[in-house]
Amino acid sequence: MSAVEAMHWGLAEKATTLSEAHDVLSKLLPNPKAKPEVLKDYYLRSAAIYARVAETDRSHHHEAIYWANREREKGEAIKLRKS
């Protein structure tokens, strides 16, 4: 992970509103052709952030839960090859 990427994930971890989470996570979204490991990591990490934001941004609770579930399902759907 690059220093810039680490900084942005740090910002994502500090997001308290759905808008902040969307803004930061959209900048971290990997290329759809990225390695499956990269995509899976992104979706599962973003799911955790949306789930946490659902508790802090109560006016967008249900929408944040939707996004958390959506991202988690996308991440879990990515199958990784065992080496």
Side-chain angles (χ1 to χ4, degrees):
M1 177 185 319
S2 71
V4 171
E5 207 175 33
M7 178 185 71
H8 283 291
W9 277 112
L11 291 174
E13 293 292 337
K14 293 178 182 176
T16 59
T17 67
L18 184 59
S19 178
E20 289 171 354
H22 279 328
D23 183 52
V24 177
L25 292 171
S26 68
K27 293 173 182 160
L28 289 170
L29 183 63
N31 184 313
K33 295 180 181 179
K35 292 181 179 181
E37 299 83 9
V38 171
L39 294 169
K40 186 175 187 90
D41 179 65
Y42 169 81
Y43 288 121
L44 295 179
R45 287 179 80 173
S46 64
I49 289 165
Y50 282 122
R52 187 181 46 71
V53 164
E55 301 307 314
T56 58
D57 188 358
R58 297 304 290 177
S59 62
H60 294 101
H61 175 80
H62 295 289
E63 189 178 359
I65 291 293
Y66 161 81
W67 280 97
N69 289 333
R70 177 183 182 269
E71 298 293 270
R72 181 184 41 76
E73 288 170 3
K74 286 178 93 168
E76 289 174 353
I78 298 171
K79 303 300 180 207
L80 303 179
R81 283 195 233 157
K82 302 203 185 216
S83 43

